[in-house]
Coordinates of all heavy atoms in Angstrom, one line a residue:
M44 N 99.7 68.3 78.4 CA 100.4 68.4 79.7 C 99.8 69.6 80.5 O 99.6 70.7 79.9 CB 101.9 68.6 79.4 CG 102.7 68.8 80.7 SD 104.4 69.1 80.4 CE 105.0 67.4 80.0
R45 N 99.7 69.5 81.7 CA 99.2 70.5 82.6 C 100.3 71.3 83.2 O 101.3 70.8 83.6 CB 98.4 69.9 83.8 CG 97.8 70.9 84.7 CD 96.9 70.2 85.7 NE 96.5 71.2 86.7 CZ 96.2 71.0 87.9 NH1 96.2 69.7 88.4 NH2 95.8 71.9 88.7
L46 N 100.2 72.6 83.1 CA 101.2 73.6 83.6 C 100.7 74.2 84.8 O 99.6 74.8 84.9 CB 101.6 74.6 82.5 CG 102.6 75.6 82.9 CD1 104.0 75.0 83.2 CD2 102.7 76.7 81.9
V47 N 101.5 74.2 85.9 CA 101.1 74.8 87.2 C 102.2 75.8 87.5 O 103.4 75.5 87.6 CB 101.0 73.8 88.3 CG1 100.7 74.5 89.7 CG2 100.0 72.7 88.0
N48 N 101.8 77.1 87.7 CA 102.7 78.2 88.0 C 103.0 78.0 89.5 O 102.2 78.5 90.4 CB 102.1 79.5 87.7 CG 103.0 80.6 88.0 OD1 104.0 80.5 88.7 ND2 102.8 81.8 87.4
M49 N 104.1 77.5 89.9 CA 104.5 77.3 91.3 C 104.9 78.6 92.0 O 105.0 78.7 93.2 CB 105.5 76.2 91.5 CG 105.1 74.9 90.9 SD 103.6 74.2 91.7 CE 104.4 73.6 93.3
D50 N 105.3 79.5 91.2 CA 105.8 80.8 91.7 C 104.7 81.7 92.1 O 104.8 82.4 93.1 CB 106.7 81.5 90.6 CG 107.5 82.7 91.2 OD1 107.9 82.6 92.3 OD2 107.6 83.7 90.5
L51 N 103.6 81.8 91.3 CA 102.5 82.7 91.6 C 101.2 82.0 91.5 O 100.3 82.4 90.7 CB 102.6 83.9 90.6 CG 103.8 84.8 90.8 CD1 103.8 85.8 89.6 CD2 103.8 85.5 92.1
P52 N 100.9 80.9 92.3 CA 99.7 80.2 92.1 C 98.5 81.0 92.7 O 97.3 80.7 92.4 CB 99.9 78.9 92.9 CG 100.9 79.3 93.9 CD 101.8 80.3 93.2
N53 N 98.8 81.9 93.6 CA 97.7 82.8 94.2 C 98.4 84.1 94.7 O 99.6 84.3 94.5 CB 97.0 82.1 95.3 CG 97.9 81.5 96.4 OD1 98.8 82.2 96.8 ND2 97.6 80.3 96.8
N54 N 97.6 84.9 95.4 CA 98.2 86.2 95.9 C 98.8 86.1 97.3 O 99.2 87.1 97.8 CB 97.1 87.2 96.0 CG 96.7 87.7 94.6 OD1 97.5 87.7 93.7 ND2 95.5 88.2 94.4
E55 N 98.9 84.9 97.9 CA 99.5 84.7 99.2 C 101.0 85.0 99.2 O 101.7 84.5 98.3 CB 99.2 83.4 99.8 CG 97.7 83.1 100.0 CD 97.4 81.7 100.5 OE1 98.4 80.9 100.8 OE2 96.2 81.4 100.7
T56 N 101.4 85.8 100.2 CA 102.8 86.1 100.3 C 103.3 85.9 101.7 O 102.5 86.2 102.7 CB 103.1 87.6 99.9 OG1 102.3 88.5 100.7 CG2 102.8 87.9 98.4
R57 N 104.5 85.4 101.8 CA 105.0 85.1 103.2 C 105.9 86.3 103.5 O 106.7 86.8 102.7 CB 105.8 83.8 103.2 CG 106.4 83.4 104.5 CD 107.0 82.1 104.5 NE 108.2 82.1 103.7 CZ 108.8 81.0 103.3 NH1 108.4 79.8 103.7 NH2 109.8 81.1 102.5
H58 N 105.8 86.7 104.8 CA 106.7 87.8 105.3 C 107.5 87.4 106.5 O 107.0 86.5 107.3 CB 105.8 89.0 105.7 CG 104.9 89.5 104.6 ND1 105.3 90.5 103.7 CD2 103.7 89.1 104.2 CE1 104.4 90.7 102.8 NE2 103.4 89.9 103.1
H59 N 108.7 87.9 106.6 CA 109.6 87.6 107.6 C 110.0 88.9 108.3 O 110.5 89.8 107.6 CB 110.9 86.9 107.1 CG 110.6 85.6 106.4 ND1 111.0 84.4 107.0 CD2 110.0 85.3 105.3 CE1 110.7 83.4 106.2 NE2 110.1 83.9 105.1
I60 N 109.9 88.9 109.6 CA 110.3 90.1 110.4 C 111.3 89.7 111.5 O 110.9 89.0 112.4 CB 109.1 90.9 111.0 CG1 108.2 91.3 109.8 CG2 109.6 92.0 111.8 CD1 107.0 92.0 110.3
P61 N 112.6 90.0 111.4 CA 113.5 89.7 112.4 C 113.4 90.6 113.6 O 113.0 91.8 113.4 CB 114.9 89.8 111.7 CG 114.6 90.8 110.6 CD 113.2 90.6 110.2
F62 N 113.6 90.1 114.8 CA 113.6 91.0 116.0 C 114.4 90.3 117.1 O 114.7 89.1 117.0 CB 112.1 91.2 116.5 CG 111.4 90.0 117.0 CD1 111.3 89.7 118.3 CD2 110.7 89.2 116.1 CE1 110.6 88.6 118.8 CE2 110.0 88.1 116.5 CZ 110.0 87.8 117.9
V63 N 114.8 91.1 118.0 CA 115.7 90.7 119.1 C 115.0 91.0 120.4 O 114.4 92.0 120.6 CB 117.1 91.4 119.1 CG1 117.9 91.0 120.3 CG2 117.8 91.1 117.8
M64 N 115.0 90.0 121.3 CA 114.4 90.1 122.7 C 115.5 90.0 123.7 O 116.6 89.4 123.5 CB 113.4 89.0 122.9 CG 112.2 89.1 122.0 SD 111.2 90.6 122.2 CE 110.6 90.4 123.9
D65 N 115.3 90.5 124.9 CA 116.2 90.4 126.0 C 116.5 88.9 126.3 O 115.6 88.1 126.2 CB 115.5 91.0 127.3 CG 116.5 91.1 128.4 OD1 116.6 90.1 129.2 OD2 117.2 92.1 128.5
I66 N 117.7 88.6 126.7 CA 118.1 87.2 126.9 C 117.3 86.6 128.0 O 117.1 85.4 128.1 CB 119.6 87.2 127.3 CG1 120.2 85.8 127.1 CG2 119.9 87.7 128.6 CD1 121.0 85.6 125.9
D67 N 116.7 87.4 128.9 CA 115.9 86.8 130.0 C 114.5 86.6 129.7 O 113.7 86.0 130.5 CB 115.9 87.8 131.2 CG 117.3 87.9 131.8 OD1 118.1 86.9 131.8 OD2 117.7 89.0 132.3
A68 N 114.0 87.0 128.5 CA 112.6 86.7 128.1 C 112.4 85.2 127.8 O 113.2 84.7 126.9 CB 112.3 87.6 126.9
P69 N 111.5 84.6 128.4 CA 111.3 83.1 128.2 C 110.9 82.9 126.7 O 109.9 83.5 126.2 CB 110.2 82.7 129.1 CG 110.1 83.8 130.1 CD 110.6 85.1 129.5
P70 N 111.5 82.0 126.0 CA 111.2 81.8 124.6 C 109.7 81.4 124.3 O 109.1 81.8 123.4 CB 112.1 80.6 124.2 CG 113.3 80.8 125.1 CD 112.7 81.3 126.4
S71 N 109.2 80.6 125.3 CA 107.8 80.2 125.1 C 106.8 81.5 125.2 O 105.9 81.5 124.4 CB 107.4 79.2 126.1 OG 107.5 79.7 127.5
R72 N 107.2 82.4 126.0 CA 106.4 83.6 126.1 C 106.6 84.5 124.9 O 105.6 85.1 124.4 CB 106.8 84.4 127.4 CG 106.0 85.6 127.6 CD 104.5 85.3 128.0 NE 103.8 86.5 128.3 CZ 102.6 86.8 128.0 NH1 101.9 85.9 127.3 NH2 102.0 87.9 128.3
V73 N 107.8 84.6 124.4 CA 108.1 85.4 123.2 C 107.3 84.8 122.0 O 106.6 85.6 121.3 CB 109.6 85.3 122.8 CG1 109.9 86.0 121.4 CG2 110.4 86.1 123.9
R74 N 107.2 83.5 121.9 CA 106.5 82.9 120.8 C 105.0 83.1 121.0 O 104.3 83.5 120.1 CB 106.7 81.3 120.9 CG 106.0 80.6 119.8 CD 106.3 79.1 119.9 NE 105.5 78.4 118.9 CZ 104.3 78.0 119.0 NH1 103.6 78.3 120.0 NH2 103.7 77.4 118.0
E75 N 104.5 83.0 122.2 CA 103.0 83.2 122.5 C 102.6 84.6 122.2 O 101.6 84.8 121.5 CB 102.8 82.9 124.0 CG 101.4 83.1 124.4 CD 101.2 82.9 125.9 OE1 102.0 82.3 126.5 OE2 100.2 83.5 126.5
V76 N 103.3 85.6 122.7 CA 103.0 87.0 122.4 C 103.1 87.4 121.0 O 102.3 88.1 120.4 CB 103.8 87.9 123.3 CG1 103.6 89.4 123.0 CG2 103.5 87.7 124.8
G77 N 104.2 86.8 120.3 CA 104.4 87.1 118.9 C 103.3 86.6 118.0 O 102.8 87.3 117.1
I78 N 102.9 85.4 118.3 CA 101.8 84.8 117.5 C 100.5 85.6 117.7 O 99.7 85.9 116.8 CB 101.6 83.3 117.7 CG1 102.8 82.6 117.2 CG2 100.3 82.8 117.2 CD1 102.9 81.1 117.5
E79 N 100.2 85.9 119.0 CA 99.0 86.7 119.3 C 99.0 88.0 118.6 O 98.0 88.5 118.1 CB 98.9 86.9 120.8 CG 98.4 85.7 121.6 CD 98.4 86.0 123.1 OE1 98.4 87.2 123.5 OE2 98.4 85.0 123.9
A80 N 100.2 88.7 118.6 CA 100.3 90.0 117.9 C 100.0 89.8 116.4 O 99.3 90.7 115.8 CB 101.7 90.6 118.2
M81 N 100.6 88.8 115.8 CA 100.4 88.7 114.3 C 98.9 88.4 114.0 O 98.4 88.9 113.1 CB 101.3 87.6 113.8 CG 102.8 88.0 113.7 SD 103.8 86.7 113.0 CE 104.1 85.6 114.4
L82 N 98.3 87.5 114.9 CA 96.9 87.2 114.6 C 95.9 88.3 114.9 O 94.8 88.3 114.5 CB 96.5 85.9 115.5 CG 97.1 84.6 115.0 CD1 96.8 83.5 116.0 CD2 96.7 84.3 113.6
S83 N 96.4 89.3 115.6 CA 95.6 90.5 115.9 C 95.4 91.4 114.7 O 94.6 92.3 114.7 CB 96.1 91.3 117.1 OG 97.3 92.0 116.7
V84 N 96.3 91.2 113.7 CA 96.2 92.0 112.4 C 95.3 91.3 111.5 O 95.5 90.1 111.1 CB 97.6 92.1 111.8 CG1 97.6 92.9 110.5 CG2 98.6 92.7 112.8
A85 N 94.2 92.0 111.1 CA 93.2 91.4 110.2 C 93.7 90.8 108.9 O 93.1 89.8 108.5 CB 92.1 92.5 109.9
S86 N 94.7 91.4 108.3 CA 95.1 90.9 107.0 C 96.1 89.7 107.1 O 96.5 89.2 106.1 CB 95.8 92.1 106.2 OG 96.8 92.6 107.0
V87 N 96.5 89.3 108.3 CA 97.4 88.2 108.4 C 96.5 86.9 108.4 O 95.5 86.8 109.1 CB 98.1 88.2 109.8 CG1 98.8 86.9 110.1 CG2 99.2 89.3 109.7
L88 N 96.9 86.0 107.5 CA 96.1 84.7 107.4 C 96.2 83.9 108.6 O 97.3 83.8 109.3 CB 96.6 84.0 106.1 CG 96.4 84.7 104.8 CD1 97.0 83.8 103.7 CD2 94.9 85.0 104.6
R89 N 95.2 83.1 108.9 CA 95.2 82.2 110.0 C 95.8 80.9 109.6 O 96.2 80.1 110.5 CB 93.7 82.0 110.5 CG 93.1 83.0 111.4 CD 93.7 84.3 111.3 NE 93.1 85.4 112.2 CZ 93.5 86.6 112.1 NH1 94.3 87.0 111.1 NH2 93.1 87.5 112.9
T90 N 95.7 80.6 108.3 CA 96.3 79.4 107.8 C 97.1 79.7 106.5 O 96.6 80.4 105.7 CB 95.2 78.3 107.4 OG1 94.4 78.1 108.5 CG2 95.8 77.1 106.8
P91 N 98.4 79.4 106.5 CA 99.2 78.7 107.5 C 99.3 79.6 108.7 O 99.3 80.8 108.7 CB 100.5 78.6 106.8 CG 100.5 79.1 105.4 CD 99.1 79.8 105.3
V92 N 99.5 78.9 109.8 CA 99.6 79.5 111.2 C 100.9 80.3 111.2 O 101.9 79.9 110.8 CB 99.5 78.5 112.3 CG1 99.7 79.1 113.6 CG2 98.2 77.7 112.2
P93 N 100.8 81.6 111.7 CA 102.0 82.4 111.9 C 103.0 81.7 112.9 O 102.6 80.9 113.7 CB 101.5 83.7 112.6 CG 100.1 83.8 112.1 CD 99.6 82.4 112.1
M94 N 104.3 82.0 112.7 CA 105.3 81.3 113.5 C 106.3 82.3 114.1 O 106.5 83.4 113.5 CB 106.1 80.3 112.7 CG 105.3 79.2 112.1 SD 106.4 78.1 111.1 CE 106.6 79.1 109.6
V95 N 106.9 82.0 115.2 CA 108.0 82.7 115.7 C 109.1 81.7 115.9 O 109.0 80.7 116.6 CB 107.6 83.4 117.1 CG1 108.9 84.0 117.7 CG2 106.6 84.5 116.9
L96 N 110.2 81.9 115.2 CA 111.3 81.0 115.2 C 112.5 81.6 115.9 O 112.9 82.8 115.7 CB 111.7 80.6 113.8 CG 110.7 80.0 113.0 CD1 111.2 79.7 111.6 CD2 110.1 78.7 113.6
F97 N 113.2 80.8 116.8 CA 114.4 81.3 117.4 C 115.5 81.1 116.3 O 115.6 80.1 115.6 CB 114.8 80.4 118.6 CG 116.2 80.6 119.1 CD1 116.5 81.8 119.8 CD2 117.2 79.7 118.8 CE1 117.8 82.0 120.3 CE2 118.4 79.9 119.3 CZ 118.7 81.0 120.0
K98 N 116.3 82.2 116.2 CA 117.4 82.1 115.2 C 118.8 81.9 115.8 O 119.5 81.0 115.4 CB 117.4 83.4 114.3 CG 116.1 83.7 113.6 CD 115.7 82.6 112.7 CE 116.5 82.7 111.4 NZ 116.1 81.8 110.4
N99 N 119.2 82.8 116.7 CA 120.5 82.7 117.4 C 120.6 83.6 118.6 O 119.7 84.4 118.8 CB 121.6 82.8 116.4 CG 121.6 84.2 115.7 OD1 121.2 85.2 116.3 ND2 122.1 84.3 114.5
V100 N 121.7 83.5 119.2 CA 122.0 84.5 120.3 C 123.0 85.5 119.8 O 124.0 85.2 119.2 CB 122.7 83.7 121.5 CG1 123.0 84.7 122.6 CG2 121.7 82.6 122.0
T101 N 122.7 86.8 120.1 CA 123.5 87.9 119.6 C 124.0 88.6 120.8 O 123.6 88.4 122.0 CB 122.8 88.8 118.7 OG1 121.8 89.5 119.5 CG2 122.1 88.1 117.6
E102 N 124.9 89.6 120.6 CA 125.3 90.5 121.7 C 124.2 91.3 122.3 O 124.2 91.7 123.4 CB 126.4 91.4 121.2 CG 127.7 90.7 120.9 CD 128.8 91.6 120.4 OE1 128.6 92.9 120.5 OE2 129.8 91.1 119.9
Q103 N 123.1 91.5 121.5 CA 122.0 92.3 121.9 C 120.9 91.5 122.6 O 120.1 92.0 123.3 CB 121.3 93.0 120.7 CG 122.2 94.1 120.1 CD 123.3 93.5 119.2 OE1 123.1 92.4 118.6 NE2 124.4 94.2 119.1
G104 N 120.9 90.2 122.4 CA 119.9 89.3 123.1 C 119.6 88.1 122.2 O 120.5 87.7 121.4
M105 N 118.4 87.6 122.3 CA 118.0 86.4 121.6 C 117.3 86.9 120.3 O 116.3 87.6 120.3 CB 117.0 85.6 122.4 CG 117.5 85.2 123.7 SD 118.7 83.9 123.7 CE 117.6 82.5 123.7
A106 N 117.8 86.4 119.1 CA 117.3 86.8 117.8 C 116.2 85.8 117.4 O 116.4 84.6 117.5 CB 118.4 86.8 116.8
Y107 N 115.1 86.4 117.0 CA 113.9 85.6 116.5 C 113.5 86.1 115.2 O 114.0 87.1 114.7 CB 112.7 85.8 117.5 CG 112.9 85.2 118.9 CD1 113.5 85.9 119.9 CD2 112.5 83.9 119.2 CE1 113.7 85.4 121.2 CE2 112.7 83.4 120.4 CZ 113.3 84.1 121.4 OH 113.4 83.6 122.7
E108 N 112.6 85.3 114.6 CA 112.0 85.8 113.3 C 110.5 85.5 113.3 O 110.1 84.3 113.6 CB 112.7 85.0 112.1 CG 112.2 85.5 110.8 CD 113.0 84.9 109.7 OE1 113.4 83.7 109.8 OE2 113.4 85.6 108.7
A109 N 109.7 86.5 113.1 CA 108.2 86.3 112.9 C 108.0 86.0 111.5 O 108.4 86.7 110.6 CB 107.5 87.6 113.4
I110 N 107.2 85.0 111.3 CA 106.8 84.6 109.9 C 105.3 84.5 109.8 O 104.6 83.8 110.6 CB 107.4 83.2 109.5 CG1 109.0 83.3 109.6 CG2 107.0 82.8 108.1 CD1 109.7 82.0 109.5
F111 N 104.7 85.1 108.8 CA 103.3 85.1 108.6 C 103.0 85.3 107.1 O 103.8 85.7 106.3 CB 102.6 86.2 109.4 CG 103.1 87.6 109.1 CD1 102.4 88.4 108.1 CD2 104.2 88.1 109.7 CE1 102.9 89.7 107.8 CE2 104.7 89.4 109.4 CZ 104.0 90.2 108.4
W112 N 101.7 84.9 106.8 CA 101.2 85.0 105.4 C 100.1 86.0 105.3 O 99.3 86.2 106.2 CB 100.7 83.6 105.0 CG 101.8 82.6 104.8 CD1 102.3 81.9 105.9 CD2 102.4 82.1 103.7 NE1 103.3 81.0 105.4 CE2 103.3 81.1 104.0 CE3 102.2 82.5 102.3 CZ2 104.1 80.5 103.1 CZ3 103.0 81.8 101.4 CH2 103.9 80.8 101.8
M113 N 100.1 86.7 104.1 CA 99.0 87.6 103.8 C 98.5 87.3 102.4 O 99.2 86.7 101.6 CB 99.5 89.1 103.9 CG 100.0 89.5 105.2 SD 100.7 91.1 105.3 CE 99.3 92.1 105.2
N114 N 97.2 87.6 102.1 CA 96.7 87.3 100.8 C 96.6 88.5 99.9 O 96.1 88.3 98.8 CB 95.3 86.6 100.9 CG 94.3 87.4 101.6 OD1 94.5 88.6 101.8 ND2 93.1 86.8 101.8
D115 N 97.0 89.6 100.4 CA 97.1 90.8 99.5 C 98.5 91.3 99.4 O 99.0 91.9 100.4 CB 96.1 91.9 100.0 CG 96.0 93.1 99.1 OD1 96.8 93.2 98.1 OD2 95.1 93.9 99.3
P116 N 99.2 91.1 98.3 CA 100.6 91.5 98.3 C 100.8 93.0 98.3 O 101.9 93.5 98.5 CB 101.1 90.9 96.9 CG 99.9 90.7 96.1 CD 98.8 90.5 97.1
N117 N 99.7 93.8 98.2 CA 99.8 95.3 98.2 C 99.6 95.8 99.6 O 99.8 97.1 99.8 CB 98.7 95.9 97.2 CG 98.9 95.4 95.8 OD1 100.1 95.5 95.3 ND2 97.9 94.9 95.2
V118 N 99.3 95.0 100.6 CA 99.2 95.5 101.9 C 100.4 95.1 102.7 O 100.9 94.0 102.7 CB 97.9 94.8 102.6 CG1 97.9 95.2 104.1 CG2 96.7 95.2 101.9
W119 N 101.0 96.1 103.4 CA 102.2 95.8 104.2 C 102.2 96.5 105.5 O 102.0 97.6 105.6 CB 103.4 96.1 103.4 CG 104.7 95.9 104.2 CD1 105.7 96.8 104.4 CD2 105.1 94.7 104.8 NE1 106.7 96.2 105.2 CE2 106.4 94.9 105.4 CE3 104.6 93.4 104.9 CZ2 107.1 93.9 106.1 CZ3 105.3 92.4 105.6 CH2 106.5 92.7 106.2

């Protein structure tokens, strides 16, 4: 029987960074700028493609989450 370690098959790690933007900031622009910013970091993987997800509306503004992958778990 073949055993595959689904928990640690490689060194790739997914990171989530929550952030809040002004309610007037267009979501498409927030997504565009967020993805450009993540891709400007050399250690962020191009595949899977980084994402910016809308989470909810808060008293402070629109809550989003930046999601990206890195292949070195020791770099943050």
Side-chain angles (χ1 to χ4, degrees):
M44 178 183 283
R45 182 175 173 207
L46 178 65
V47 177
N48 184 342
M49 301 300 283
D50 191 40
L51 296 171
N53 56 41
N54 285 333
E55 293 178 2
T56 56
R57 184 173 63 191
H58 301 272
H59 298 250
I60 300 177
F62 64 98
V63 177
M64 295 297 296
D65 187 275
I66 196 106
D67 294 328
S71 60
R72 184 71 176 139
V73 171
R74 180 181 181 277
E75 177 186 340
V76 171
I78 290 173
E79 285 178 17
M81 289 182 278
L82 289 174
S83 73
V84 178
S86 57
V87 170
L88 297 178
R89 282 22 184 187
T90 303
V92 178
M94 298 181 281
V95 174
L96 303 178
F97 169 75
K98 300 303 278 186
N99 59 30
V100 178
T101 70
E102 290 181 11
Q103 293 78 29
M105 306 284 276
Y107 293 88
E108 186 171 41
I110 301 172
F111 58 93
W112 292 79
M113 298 176 75
N114 62 6
D115 185 349
N117 298 312
V118 174
W119 180 235

